[in-house]
Amino acid sequence: MKKFLFIACLLCAAGVVTPNLRAQSINIQTDEAELILRVGDDGRLYQSWLGRRFTNRADVDLLPRGREAYMTHGMEDYFLSALRMTHNDGNPSLLLNYVSHESRAVEGGAVETVIKLRDPKYPVEVALVYTAWPDENIITSRAEIVHREKRPVTLYNYASSMLHLDAAEYWLTEFSGEWANEVNRSEGPLSFGKKVVDTKLGSRANMIVSPMFLLSLDGPAQEESGDVMLGTLGWTGNFSFTFEVDNTGGLRIVSGINPTGSEYTIAAGEKFSTPEFIFTYSTRGTGAASRNFHDWARRHRLKDGMGDRSTLLNNWEATYFDFDEHKLAGIMDDAVTLGVDMFLLDDGWFGNKYPRSGDHQGLGDWQETTSKLPGGVRSLVETAKGKGVKFGLWIEPEMVNPGSELYEKHRDWVIHLPNRDEYYFRNQLVLDMSNPAVQDFVFGVVDGLMTANPGIAYFKWDCNSPITNIYSAHLKDKQSHLYIDFVRGLYNVLDRVKAKYPDLPMMLCSGGGGRTDYKALEYFTEFWPSDNTDPLERIFIQWGYSYFFPSKTLCAHVTSWNKSTSIKFRTDVAMMGKLGFDIMIDELSEAELAFCRQAVVDFNRLKPVILDGDLYRLVSPYEGEHSALMYIAKDDGPAAGKAVLFACDMNPRYGEFTRPVRLRGLDPGRMYTLREINRMPGSRPSLRLPDRAVSGEYLMERGLEVFSTTRARSVVIEITAQ
Ligand code: GLA
């Protein structure tokens, strides 16, 4: 008997589970949470638990078997399946039995578990791949599907993840909006039936609905307590999250590529890999859940996640398409005056037969407009270098205007219906990234510019149109592959860019925040959250993104939107993210310019707090006319002991009572000094702060009276531990 147990243990350690060990669980664990799967007596895989990680491991045996982990279509389940396909003989069903599983340590302290499943009647195999990052409490899940049938098999649904939850109440928060009005948070309860959060916009996938959700159990989500789950898909294209409450009150969440219009045919031996579904399960509310995502992103996902970020001056809103070399040289001088690291040249620098004098033509012709820029990018890079600022450049390489030489030459490269009128979104069409020739062209845009001008230090990569007129000349009889192959083609290009230029920072932009996902962010250091830079709106937009994305990814520029607000207010709001400017500085008074210069100095000094610290959302703008958040530097980082508090009054009522803001995340036993920064030169302090050190306990229990009843007013307080 002892010998048998010994052999059984060895087999378990190797991850090979024999039939008589089926009750054994497969634990996908982080420090805080765990997903427990187990094989039932019928040989199928079940999810027994998703929630807090059990301390007493013996209790795990008490858990009921649960629901099937990755349900297939056509068997005895009556609700949404994770996988649906039709076999060569027309049989539309699939049944998956457990075969084996294996866990191994992978990069970044994570553990990857691969569970193999197989249909007993048809040669179809599915591998479920889970990766758990213990420190950051993040789990990713994806599926690999392969078959050995004689002829190709069509996949109709192919989820990255299926998860089950059982609670008295489910509250779903989704993030949606429009151009210049992105990621509005809205929360509601789920009841029997389905709720779908999805998009089919293709390239500019999340212009209207963002690929992320927040699910709270047993009541609406709270910042500091309660069981919540944040989930998102690492896919720069059509996504879908379906929440289905069944007849027993159980909730299943099916996440993946949106299968609408995307049936996918795979030949024998061809592997279909789904993108990653990425989630965190927090038992300490949304604040901790967001910090999980921020830490994971910086440490493991974001391009150069632990690296520095440059401040910049962009010319888009300052000039739009109206500039020449002389004007740009002047703006580079402004960048020097402001003290930022970089000048970013936006749209309007290219096209000769069809000069890019507006947004109606030129896209696709990536040669400098000689009448406007006779010395080309080369001379601009030189000028910037001479002035001691870096040079960045805007491109939109996946797109084409019908008014372009590219369109004239390669109409077959354009996604459009051959027998219908073309429909334009911002006067443009999308290139067919499924076509390898187009991939070469798009890579060539970056590579050509970099080869000719190695001094380019940064790209802003834009994408202003969703996919319209869906048809690919390249894909012929596989039209339903286009949405997926478009994204795979994009990744192919971005892989090549990253391999050749590994240290090149890039901003992801999509007519504002139309592309914000964690696969794209493997290639991009930051993104443009919205074209709306009105600070009163940005408070909400940045708040929405902050659930998933760390501040160092959120480009936030001081512009001329909503000039009724002060430069201080606009700067304070922008400084909650990755600070930049897009403004003619001759519009600024001497005091305002001095203020901005000092803000840049302080931002640079406080980057380790603001960009790399822990975010605490204190007062939500959704709950009234005030908002506050703070960042606390990591204990092992260069700014240990520092924190920065941002507080904003939006449109308060006359005579409204304001309450002190209770800080979070400080050490109650430590003493802190407080100093107001970002003050207009010569102005009186905005508030009276204690003139001696205060305990963390006081700051977190009593709090600070930082709000007022003045419209569009803000304060920034630097907090330093003694
Ligand atoms: C998009 C971007 C803007 C700007 C313009 C240029 O709208 O979001 O920031 O780059 O394109 O055309």
Side-chain angles (χ1 to χ4, degrees):
M1 181 65 186
K2 264 191 188 159
K3 198 171 162 197
F4 170 76
L5 272 179
F6 177 70
I7 292 168
C9 287
L10 271 185
L11 286 173
C12 289
V16 181
V17 175
T18 54
N20 49 357
L21 287 179
R22 272 180 179 164
Q24 183 219 4
S25 58
I26 305 168
N27 307 323
I28 319 291
Q29 293 176 320
T30 70
D31 286 353
E32 188 179 355
E34 65 183 322
L35 172 67
I36 300 181
L37 304 166
R38 67 160 52 104
V39 184
D41 292 337
D42 58 2
R44 301 202 215 166
L45 186 72
Y46 291 85
Q47 181 196 308
S48 286
W49 179 251
L50 172 58
R52 181 191 291 273
R53 179 174 167 160
F54 287 104
T55 329
N56 180 18
R57 300 312 299 170
D59 293 347
V60 170
D61 296 341
L62 303 174
L63 289 170
R65 187 184 72 172
R67 296 185 175 82
E68 195 167 353
Y70 192 76
M71 284 178 184
T72 49
H73 175 80
M75 302 309 298
E76 63 279 4
D77 182 68
Y78 306 130
F79 296 89
L80 184 64
S81 62
L83 183 56
R84 178 160 86 88
M85 64 170 64
T86 302
H87 302 284
N88 279 189
D89 63 0
N91 186 323
S93 73
L94 186 71
L95 188 150
L96 292 175
N97 279 338
Y98 169 88
V99 178
S100 66
H101 76 277
E102 217 165 8
S103 294
R104 63 185 183 103
V106 290
E107 165 278 324
V111 176
E112 181 189 81
T113 302
V114 181
I115 306 173
K116 291 215 166 110
L117 309 170
R118 187 182 298 138
D119 190 306
K121 292 264 193 274
Y122 290 88
V124 176
E125 279 188 13
V126 174
L128 301 179
V129 185
Y130 298 92
T131 307
W133 276 267
D135 294 350
E136 295 82 11
N137 288 305
I138 293 281
I139 298 175
T140 65
S141 145
R142 62 188 174 86
E144 291 176 351
I145 302 152
V146 60
H147 75 91
R148 298 264 165 218
E149 300 196 16
K150 283 206 179 77
R151 282 172 289 119
V153 153
T154 302
L155 306 177
Y156 295 93
N157 292 5
Y158 29 79
S160 297
S161 153
M162 176 178 246
L163 291 170
H164 303 279
L165 289 162
D166 269 297
E169 291 174 38
Y170 310 103
W171 287 76
L172 175 70
T173 302
E174 54 185 313
F175 300 85
S176 62
E178 235 299 7
W179 172 78
N181 181 26
E182 290 87 347
V183 292
N184 295 283
R185 207 187 73 178
S186 56
E187 183 173 34
L190 294 173
S191 52
F192 179 81
K194 285 197 193 84
K195 159 82 189 174
V196 182
V197 174
D198 73 351
T199 184
K200 58 181 187 63
L201 289 166
S203 43
R204 192 173 166 177
N206 48 294
M207 176 169 74
I208 295 172
V209 188
S210 296
M212 55 208 204
F213 68 83
L214 156 59
L215 185 86
S216 173
L217 303 183
D218 299 321
Q222 295 183 55
E223 194 64 15
E224 295 291 325
S225 62
D227 280 27
V228 296
M229 187 182 146
L230 288 177
T232 184
L233 193 74
W235 182 246
T236 318
N238 295 348
F239 59 83
S240 159
F241 305 108
T242 306
F243 304 83
E244 188 170 33
V245 179
D246 67 18
N247 51 330
T248 66
L251 171 70
R252 71 185 60 182
I253 308 171
V254 180
S255 310
I257 294 175
N258 185 350
T260 305
S262 288
E263 298 85 46
Y264 208 94
T265 308
I266 47 171
E270 188 184 343
K271 191 195 285 176
F272 183 89
S273 297
T274 72
E276 271 178 333
F277 173 66
I278 308 153
F279 73 98
T280 183
Y281 188 101
S282 162
T283 55
R284 295 173 294 131
T286 49
S290 294
R291 290 188 289 279
N292 288 342
F293 256 98
H294 299 169
D295 283 340
W296 173 80
R298 281 185 297 244
R299 293 179 195 151
H300 307 300
R301 180 48 54 100
L302 185 59
K303 180 167 187 198
D304 195 21
M306 300 301 279
D308 193 16
R309 295 292 181 273
S310 297
T311 53
L312 59 81
L313 175 63
N314 189 193
N315 73 311
W316 174 238
E317 291 187 19
T319 66
Y320 293 105
F321 297 94
D322 179 20
F323 56 80
D324 58 20
E325 278 182 359
H326 178 70
K327 204 173 197 177
L328 295 182
I331 300 177
M332 291 181 205
D333 286 331
D334 294 349
V336 176
T337 308
L338 276 169
V340 295
D341 305 311
M342 182 157 57
F343 164 70
L344 169 61
L345 173 58
D346 215 283
D347 196 356
W349 58 268
F350 49 88
N352 285 298
K353 182 170 174 192
Y354 297 95
R356 182 77 171 164
S357 49
D359 66 11
H360 58 293
Q361 64 176 27
L363 281 179
D365 301 346
W366 298 102
Q367 297 79 35
E368 300 92 323
T369 309
T370 45
S371 56
K372 208 170 183 178
L373 302 172
V377 169
R378 178 185 295 266
S379 139
L380 297 173
V381 172
E382 283 302 309
T383 310
K385 193 173 168 201
K387 295 179 190 296
V389 285
K390 293 191 253 183
F391 180 84
L393 190 63
W394 180 96
I395 50 173
E396 193 179 359
E398 301 151 79
M399 300 285 153
V400 63
N401 283 126
S404 70
E405 292 182 70
L406 181 71
Y407 183 88
E408 287 173 350
K409 229 183 281 163
H410 287 294
R411 215 158 153 213
D412 56 322
W413 283 7
V414 180
I415 295 178
H416 73 138
L417 289 157
N419 57 350
R420 290 188 193 277
D421 289 346
E422 288 175 347
Y423 168 79
Y424 306 125
F425 190 101
R426 207 194 189 207
N427 314 304
Q428 65 195 61
L429 289 165
V430 183
L431 291 178
D432 181 2
M433 297 293 287
S434 74
N435 183 341
V438 176
Q439 294 166 21
D440 287 346
F441 169 80
V442 174
F443 172 72
V445 173
V446 177
D447 194 36
L449 283 162
M450 286 303 289
T451 307
N453 310 286
I456 296 176
Y458 183 84
F459 280 105
K460 173 178 176 183
W461 180 307
D462 212 336
C463 163
N464 275 291
S465 177
I467 295 180
T468 58
N469 316 268
I470 181 105
Y471 182 88
S472 155
H474 170 71
L475 286 174
K476 299 194 174 72
D477 62 342
K478 290 193 175 152
Q479 292 302 321
S480 65
H481 289 202
L482 182 50
Y483 282 124
I484 292 179
D485 288 355
F486 177 91
V487 181
R488 290 182 175 162
L490 172 66
Y491 294 153
N492 183 328
V493 172
L494 292 171
D495 278 331
R496 288 166 71 184
V497 171
K498 193 173 173 181
K500 188 151 180 197
Y501 306 102
D503 302 322
L504 182 65
M506 296 206 290
M507 180 206 290
L508 177 61
C509 177
S510 182
R515 267 182 174 174
T516 47
D517 71 87
Y518 270 119
K519 179 65 188 178
L521 287 174
E522 280 183 18
Y523 307 104
F524 292 88
T525 45
E526 56 225 58
F527 67 88
W528 185 233
S530 178
D531 280 346
N532 191 337
T533 47
D534 172 343
L536 288 167
E537 294 297 323
R538 268 291 177 129
I539 289 174
F540 287 90
I541 292 169
Q542 292 170 191
W543 192 270
Y545 284 116
S546 80
Y547 284 89
F548 286 83
F549 301 103
S551 51
K552 87 190 305 176
T553 60
L554 302 179
C555 301
H557 297 176
V558 179
T559 74
S560 301
W561 280 58
N562 198 348
K563 277 190 182 167
S564 76
T565 64
S566 66
I567 277 287
K568 168 173 164 57
F569 187 69
R570 286 180 255 165
T571 307
D572 287 358
V573 171
M575 205 158 139
M576 293 188 238
K578 204 215 86 168
L579 178 67
F581 294 82
D582 189 351
I583 197 165
M584 288 304 252
I585 69 165
D586 54 16
E587 281 182 21
L588 305 178
S589 70
E590 223 172 273
E592 286 173 333
L593 182 58
F595 167 85
C596 291
R597 286 167 54 91
Q598 186 57 41
V600 172
V601 170
D602 282 326
F603 179 74
N604 282 333
R605 185 172 60 79
L606 294 169
K607 271 184 196 170
V609 189
I610 297 171
L611 300 186
D612 293 322
D614 290 330
L615 167 71
Y616 287 82
R617 286 181 293 253
L618 305 174
V619 179
S620 166
Y622 285 89
E623 279 154 24
E625 292 299 340
H626 311 273
S627 170
L629 56 80
M630 65 187 286
Y631 295 104
I632 304 184
K634 295 280 184 192
D635 282 342
D636 56 356
K642 282 243 181 251
V644 183
L645 167 68
F646 293 88
C648 301
D649 304 303
M650 298 178 295
N651 291 295
R653 299 288 308 277
Y654 174 80
E656 177 188 323
F657 291 113
T658 59
R659 307 201 58 77
V661 173
R662 295 167 69 177
L663 310 197
R664 294 272 172 261
L666 299 173
D667 179 344
R670 261 180 118 172
M671 301 300 286
Y672 295 89
T673 53
L674 311 170
R675 180 169 78 99
E676 186 187 352
I677 58 169
N678 279 21
R679 278 173 54 192
M680 283 300 285
S683 69
R684 299 221 317 265
S686 319
L687 74 174
R688 198 149 10 110
L689 289 169
D691 54 7
R692 58 189 170 80
V694 195
S695 70
E697 179 184 49
Y698 180 89
L699 293 170
M700 294 194 291
E701 293 303 323
R702 170 58 176 50
L704 290 174
E705 312 221 14
V706 285
F707 291 141
S708 78
T709 53
T710 308
R711 182 179 173 274
R713 169 200 166 270
S714 52
V715 290
V716 184
I717 298 171
E718 182 176 340
I719 302 165
T720 310
Q722 285 198 328

